[in-house]
Amino acid sequence: MVRTGCRCIVAFALFTSAAAAALDVTVVPSTRYQIMRGWGGTPIAAQSLKPALRDEMWDVLTDDLGLTRARLGPQGWEYQNDNGDPFSLNAAALDTSQVDRAMTELIVPFRQRVLARGEPFSLYVSPSFYNSGGSGEAQPWLTESAGEYTEYALSVLAHLRTTYGVDADLWSVCNEANNANVFSPQVVQRIAHELGPRLQAAGYPTRLEFPEAVNADAAWNFVQAAQGDLRLWPYVGLISWHLYGSNTQRPALLAFAQTKGIPTGQTEFLSAT
Protein backbone atom coordinates (compact mmCIF):
# COMPACT_ATOMS: atom_id res chain seq x y z
CA MET A 1 0.00 0.00 0.00
CA VAL A 2 1.10 3.55 -0.57
CA ARG A 3 0.00 6.15 1.91
CA THR A 4 0.32 9.93 1.87
CA GLY A 5 -0.37 11.62 5.17
CA CYS A 6 -3.45 9.85 6.50
CA ARG A 7 -4.10 8.80 2.92
CA CYS A 8 -2.93 5.44 1.77
CA ILE A 9 -2.59 2.91 -1.08
CA VAL A 10 -3.95 -0.32 0.34
CA ALA A 11 -3.98 -3.86 -0.96
CA PHE A 12 -6.62 -6.11 0.57
CA ALA A 13 -8.79 -9.12 -0.12
CA LEU A 14 -12.42 -9.75 0.76
CA PHE A 15 -13.54 -13.18 1.88
CA THR A 16 -17.18 -14.29 2.12
CA SER A 17 -18.55 -16.54 4.81
CA ALA A 18 -21.81 -17.25 6.54
CA ALA A 19 -20.90 -14.74 9.25
CA ALA A 20 -19.99 -12.06 6.73
CA ALA A 21 -23.40 -12.37 5.08
CA ALA A 22 -24.99 -10.79 8.16
CA LEU A 23 -22.63 -7.80 8.20
CA ASP A 24 -24.08 -4.37 7.40
CA VAL A 25 -21.73 -1.75 5.94
CA THR A 26 -22.69 1.91 5.82
CA VAL A 27 -20.77 4.22 3.50
CA VAL A 28 -20.70 7.90 4.45
CA PRO A 29 -19.40 9.76 1.36
CA SER A 30 -18.82 12.96 3.31
CA THR A 31 -16.26 11.25 5.57
CA ARG A 32 -12.84 10.83 3.94
CA TYR A 33 -10.00 8.83 5.48
CA GLN A 34 -7.69 7.61 2.73
CA ILE A 35 -6.90 8.27 -0.90
CA MET A 36 -5.93 5.18 -2.86
CA ARG A 37 -3.08 5.95 -5.23
CA GLY A 38 -2.96 2.41 -6.55
CA TRP A 39 -1.88 -1.07 -5.49
CA GLY A 40 -0.14 -3.99 -7.05
CA GLY A 41 2.61 -6.52 -6.75
CA THR A 42 5.33 -8.53 -8.44
CA PRO A 43 3.75 -10.62 -11.23
CA ILE A 44 6.88 -12.66 -11.93
CA ALA A 45 5.18 -15.96 -10.98
CA ALA A 46 2.85 -15.48 -13.96
CA GLN A 47 5.73 -16.34 -16.30
CA SER A 48 5.08 -20.01 -15.55
CA LEU A 49 1.50 -19.77 -16.84
CA LYS A 50 0.34 -20.55 -20.35
CA PRO A 51 -0.46 -17.39 -22.37
CA ALA A 52 -4.23 -18.00 -22.37
CA LEU A 53 -4.30 -18.46 -18.61
CA ARG A 54 -2.07 -15.41 -18.21
CA ASP A 55 -4.60 -13.35 -20.18
CA GLU A 56 -7.35 -14.48 -17.82
CA MET A 57 -5.14 -13.50 -14.89
CA TRP A 58 -4.79 -9.94 -16.24
CA ASP A 59 -8.59 -9.73 -16.45
CA VAL A 60 -8.91 -10.70 -12.80
CA LEU A 61 -6.07 -8.50 -11.57
CA THR A 62 -7.12 -5.36 -13.44
CA ASP A 63 -10.89 -5.64 -13.89
CA ASP A 64 -11.87 -7.46 -10.70
CA LEU A 65 -9.18 -6.47 -8.20
CA GLY A 66 -8.12 -3.14 -9.72
CA LEU A 67 -4.35 -3.58 -9.51
CA THR A 68 -2.44 -0.65 -11.01
CA ARG A 69 1.17 -0.99 -9.81
CA ALA A 70 3.96 -3.38 -10.82
CA ARG A 71 7.47 -4.04 -9.60
CA LEU A 72 10.41 -4.99 -11.79
CA GLY A 73 13.59 -6.60 -10.50
CA PRO A 74 16.36 -6.20 -13.12
CA GLN A 75 18.14 -9.42 -12.22
CA GLY A 76 21.03 -10.56 -14.39
CA TRP A 77 21.46 -7.11 -15.90
CA GLU A 78 25.14 -6.47 -15.26
CA TYR A 79 26.93 -9.39 -13.59
CA GLN A 80 30.32 -7.89 -14.36
CA ASN A 81 31.18 -4.21 -14.48
CA ASP A 82 30.91 -2.93 -18.06
CA ASN A 83 34.14 -0.95 -17.65
CA GLY A 84 35.89 1.31 -15.18
CA ASP A 85 34.25 4.55 -16.35
CA PRO A 86 30.87 5.36 -14.72
CA PHE A 87 30.15 7.93 -17.43
CA SER A 88 30.83 5.71 -20.46
CA LEU A 89 28.54 2.68 -20.78
CA ASN A 90 29.65 -0.45 -22.63
CA ALA A 91 26.21 -1.73 -23.60
CA ALA A 92 27.67 -4.99 -24.91
CA ALA A 93 28.34 -6.03 -21.31
CA LEU A 94 24.65 -5.91 -20.37
CA ASP A 95 22.37 -8.94 -20.38
CA THR A 96 18.87 -7.63 -21.00
CA SER A 97 17.22 -11.03 -21.47
CA GLN A 98 15.54 -11.38 -18.07
CA VAL A 99 14.26 -7.82 -18.10
CA ASP A 100 13.03 -8.20 -21.69
CA ARG A 101 11.11 -11.34 -20.81
CA ALA A 102 9.52 -9.72 -17.78
CA MET A 103 8.56 -6.62 -19.75
CA THR A 104 7.21 -8.50 -22.77
CA GLU A 105 5.30 -11.22 -20.91
CA LEU A 106 4.23 -9.36 -17.78
CA ILE A 107 4.74 -5.63 -17.37
CA VAL A 108 3.69 -4.39 -20.82
CA PRO A 109 0.43 -6.39 -21.05
CA PHE A 110 -0.40 -5.51 -17.45
CA ARG A 111 0.25 -1.83 -18.17
CA GLN A 112 -1.89 -1.94 -21.30
CA ARG A 113 -4.82 -3.38 -19.35
CA VAL A 114 -4.52 -0.75 -16.62
CA LEU A 115 -4.32 2.15 -19.09
CA ALA A 116 -7.26 0.75 -21.07
CA ARG A 117 -9.35 1.06 -17.92
CA GLY A 118 -8.42 4.73 -17.66
CA GLU A 119 -6.32 4.13 -14.55
CA PRO A 120 -2.81 5.52 -13.96
CA PHE A 121 -0.17 2.79 -14.17
CA SER A 122 2.85 2.84 -11.86
CA LEU A 123 6.10 0.92 -12.26
CA TYR A 124 8.95 0.80 -9.80
CA VAL A 125 12.31 -0.91 -10.18
CA SER A 126 13.74 -2.72 -7.18
CA PRO A 127 16.91 -4.81 -7.60
CA SER A 128 17.73 -7.51 -5.04
CA PHE A 129 21.27 -8.23 -3.89
CA TYR A 130 20.96 -10.96 -1.26
CA ASN A 131 24.24 -12.51 -0.14
CA SER A 132 22.62 -15.92 -0.66
CA GLY A 133 19.78 -16.94 -2.95
CA GLY A 134 18.95 -16.59 -6.59
CA SER A 135 19.62 -12.86 -6.88
CA GLY A 136 23.32 -13.08 -6.10
CA GLU A 137 25.17 -10.61 -3.88
CA ALA A 138 26.13 -7.13 -4.97
CA GLN A 139 29.52 -6.82 -6.59
CA PRO A 140 31.97 -4.39 -4.96
CA TRP A 141 31.89 -2.02 -7.93
CA LEU A 142 28.18 -1.48 -7.27
CA THR A 143 28.42 -0.81 -3.55
CA GLU A 144 31.74 1.02 -3.44
CA SER A 145 31.16 3.36 -6.39
CA ALA A 146 28.03 5.48 -6.39
CA GLY A 147 28.91 6.44 -9.95
CA GLU A 148 28.97 2.84 -11.17
CA TYR A 149 25.70 2.06 -9.41
CA THR A 150 24.13 5.13 -11.00
CA GLU A 151 25.37 4.07 -14.45
CA TYR A 152 23.79 0.65 -13.83
CA ALA A 153 20.44 2.21 -12.86
CA LEU A 154 20.44 4.65 -15.76
CA SER A 155 21.17 1.84 -18.23
CA VAL A 156 18.10 -0.07 -17.02
CA LEU A 157 15.87 3.01 -17.21
CA ALA A 158 17.18 3.90 -20.67
CA HIS A 159 16.36 0.41 -21.93
CA LEU A 160 12.82 0.57 -20.52
CA ARG A 161 12.26 3.92 -22.23
CA THR A 162 13.82 3.25 -25.63
CA THR A 163 12.63 -0.34 -26.02
CA TYR A 164 9.18 -0.23 -24.38
CA GLY A 165 8.31 3.44 -24.08
CA VAL A 166 7.96 3.06 -20.31
CA ASP A 167 9.39 5.29 -17.59
CA ALA A 168 9.64 3.94 -14.06
CA ASP A 169 8.05 6.16 -11.45
CA LEU A 170 10.38 5.03 -8.69
CA TRP A 171 13.74 3.32 -8.19
CA SER A 172 14.68 1.51 -4.99
CA VAL A 173 18.44 1.36 -4.45
CA CYS A 174 18.10 -2.11 -2.91
CA ASN A 175 15.18 -4.37 -2.17
CA GLU A 176 15.21 -4.92 1.61
CA ALA A 177 18.37 -2.91 2.11
CA ASN A 178 20.55 -4.11 5.01
CA ASN A 179 18.76 -7.49 5.08
CA ALA A 180 21.33 -10.15 4.10
CA ASN A 181 23.19 -7.58 2.00
CA VAL A 182 25.70 -4.77 2.49
CA PHE A 183 23.33 -1.90 1.71
CA SER A 184 23.51 -0.11 5.05
CA PRO A 185 21.89 3.31 5.54
CA GLN A 186 25.24 4.93 4.78
CA VAL A 187 25.71 2.98 1.53
CA VAL A 188 22.16 3.74 0.34
CA GLN A 189 22.52 7.44 1.15
CA ARG A 190 25.86 7.69 -0.65
CA ILE A 191 24.38 6.09 -3.77
CA ALA A 192 21.26 8.26 -3.56
CA HIS A 193 23.39 11.43 -3.47
CA GLU A 194 24.71 10.51 -6.92
CA LEU A 195 21.67 8.76 -8.37
CA GLY A 196 19.02 11.36 -7.52
CA PRO A 197 20.67 14.34 -9.26
CA ARG A 198 21.71 12.28 -12.30
CA LEU A 199 18.18 10.93 -12.76
CA GLN A 200 16.93 14.50 -12.79
CA ALA A 201 19.71 15.72 -15.08
CA ALA A 202 18.99 12.91 -17.55
CA GLY A 203 15.35 13.96 -17.76
CA TYR A 204 13.78 10.94 -16.07
CA PRO A 205 10.66 11.42 -13.93
CA THR A 206 11.93 8.61 -11.70
CA ARG A 207 12.15 9.39 -8.00
CA LEU A 208 13.80 7.32 -5.28
CA GLU A 209 11.86 4.78 -3.23
CA PHE A 210 13.49 4.77 0.21
CA PRO A 211 14.36 2.56 1.97
CA GLU A 212 12.07 -0.41 1.08
CA ALA A 213 13.33 -2.14 4.22
CA VAL A 214 12.22 -5.56 5.45
CA ASN A 215 9.74 -4.02 7.90
CA ALA A 216 8.65 -0.67 9.26
CA ASP A 217 11.03 -0.76 12.21
CA ALA A 218 14.02 -1.34 9.91
CA ALA A 219 12.74 1.42 7.63
CA TRP A 220 12.56 3.77 10.60
CA ASN A 221 16.24 3.09 11.33
CA PHE A 222 17.06 4.21 7.78
CA VAL A 223 14.89 7.31 8.11
CA GLN A 224 16.43 8.26 11.45
CA ALA A 225 19.93 7.90 10.00
CA ALA A 226 19.00 10.17 7.07
CA GLN A 227 16.53 12.57 8.63
CA GLY A 228 18.92 15.52 8.40
CA ASP A 229 20.30 14.58 4.97
CA LEU A 230 19.45 17.58 2.80
CA ARG A 231 20.96 15.88 -0.26
CA LEU A 232 18.59 12.91 -0.07
CA TRP A 233 15.03 14.02 0.56
CA PRO A 234 14.47 16.26 -2.49
CA TYR A 235 14.78 13.13 -4.64
CA VAL A 236 12.65 10.74 -2.56
CA GLY A 237 9.19 10.01 -3.96
CA LEU A 238 8.11 7.27 -1.55
CA ILE A 239 9.02 6.08 1.95
CA SER A 240 8.41 2.33 1.90
CA TRP A 241 8.70 -0.89 3.90
CA HIS A 242 7.71 -4.56 3.84
CA LEU A 243 5.47 -6.32 6.34
CA TYR A 244 7.80 -8.88 7.91
CA GLY A 245 8.84 -8.91 11.55
CA SER A 246 8.23 -5.87 13.73
CA ASN A 247 6.19 -2.96 12.36
CA THR A 248 5.64 -0.80 15.44
CA GLN A 249 7.18 2.29 13.80
CA ARG A 250 4.56 2.83 11.10
CA PRO A 251 3.12 5.83 12.98
CA ALA A 252 6.60 7.35 13.21
CA LEU A 253 7.19 6.83 9.48
CA LEU A 254 3.85 8.45 8.70
CA ALA A 255 4.54 11.44 10.94
CA PHE A 256 7.96 11.98 9.40
CA ALA A 257 6.61 11.58 5.86
CA GLN A 258 3.99 14.22 6.55
CA THR A 259 6.71 16.72 7.46
CA LYS A 260 8.33 16.08 4.06
CA GLY A 261 5.14 15.80 2.01
CA ILE A 262 6.21 12.34 0.85
CA PRO A 263 3.80 9.37 0.40
CA THR A 264 4.41 6.18 2.37
CA GLY A 265 3.79 2.62 1.29
CA GLN A 266 3.86 -1.01 2.26
CA THR A 267 5.34 -2.64 -0.84
CA GLU A 268 5.63 -6.35 -0.09
CA PHE A 269 3.99 -9.13 1.89
CA LEU A 270 4.25 -12.71 0.66
CA SER A 271 2.62 -14.60 3.56
CA ALA A 272 -1.05 -13.70 3.16
CA THR A 273 -3.63 -16.48 3.50
Side-chain angles (χ1 to χ4, degrees):
M1 62 186 173
V2 178
R3 170 164 48 190
T4 179
C6 294
R7 305 168 293 177
C8 120
I9 294 174
V10 182
F12 63 95
L14 300 179
F15 299 89
T16 57
S17 66
L23 180 65
D24 291 327
V25 177
T26 302
V27 178
V28 182
S30 60
T31 303
R32 301 285 299 273
Y33 293 102
Q34 299 171 332
I35 292 178
M36 305 295 187
R37 292 189 169 212
W39 68 288
T42 306
I44 194 68
Q47 287 184 315
S48 64
L49 301 178
K50 294 181 178 179
L53 185 57
R54 197 182 300 146
D55 287 341
E56 291 186 25
M57 179 193 70
W58 297 133
D59 291 337
V60 172
L61 294 182
T62 58
D63 298 340
D64 296 346
L65 298 179
L67 267 66
T68 60
R69 189 174 198 252
R71 166 175 148 187
L72 174 67
Q75 302 313 125
W77 185 262
E78 190 178 355
Y79 280 121
Q80 299 295 329
N81 190 8
D82 67 308
N83 57 39
D85 185 349
F87 293 94
S88 178
L89 178 68
N90 174 21
L94 306 179
D95 180 358
T96 71
S97 59
Q98 293 187 51
V99 166
D100 287 332
R101 185 184 176 198
M103 291 298 294
T104 301
E105 297 183 2
L106 304 176
I107 304 299
V108 169
F110 179 30
R111 177 176 181 266
Q112 290 171 341
R113 294 294 185 94
V114 173
L115 296 179
R117 284 177 48 84
E119 300 277 3
F121 176 78
S122 175
L123 173 68
Y124 79 106
V125 184
S126 178
S128 295
F129 299 104
Y130 293 110
N131 292 338
S132 60
S135 68
E137 63 183 287
Q139 298 300 310
W141 57 268
L142 270 178
T143 57
E144 295 176 9
S145 171
E148 289 291 352
Y149 183 100
T150 296
E151 181 187 53
Y152 152 74
L154 288 174
S155 69
V156 174
L157 295 174
H159 186 71
L160 297 182
R161 173 180 282 187
T162 58
T163 306
Y164 302 100
V166 175
D167 281 331
D169 300 281
L170 295 159
W171 180 285
S172 171
V173 170
C174 179
N175 175 50
E176 294 189 354
N178 218 27
N179 179 35
N181 56 59
V182 299
F183 285 84
S184 65
Q186 294 73 28
V187 170
V188 174
Q189 285 174 251
R190 176 166 47 79
I191 291 173
H193 293 163
E194 177 91 7
L195 178 58
R198 284 182 62 182
L199 284 172
Q200 186 178 76
Y204 290 103
T206 312
R207 308 287 301 284
L208 301 181
E209 182 168 319
F210 176 87
E212 203 180 3
V214 68
N215 54 52
D217 292 7
W220 180 238
N221 291 336
F222 272 82
V223 169
Q224 284 185 303
Q227 59 184 335
D229 187 348
L230 300 180
R231 298 174 62 190
L232 169 69
W233 297 111
Y235 301 101
V236 175
L238 179 69
I239 295 175
S240 63
W241 64 91
H242 296 169
L243 194 65
Y244 309 111
S246 180
N247 287 278
T248 63
Q249 295 300 329
R250 279 181 288 187
L253 288 168
L254 174 59
F256 178 83
Q258 288 176 321
T259 68
K260 298 291 186 182
I262 300 174
T264 65
Q266 175 190 308
T267 55
E268 182 182 304
F269 183 58
L270 298 178
S271 304
T273 61

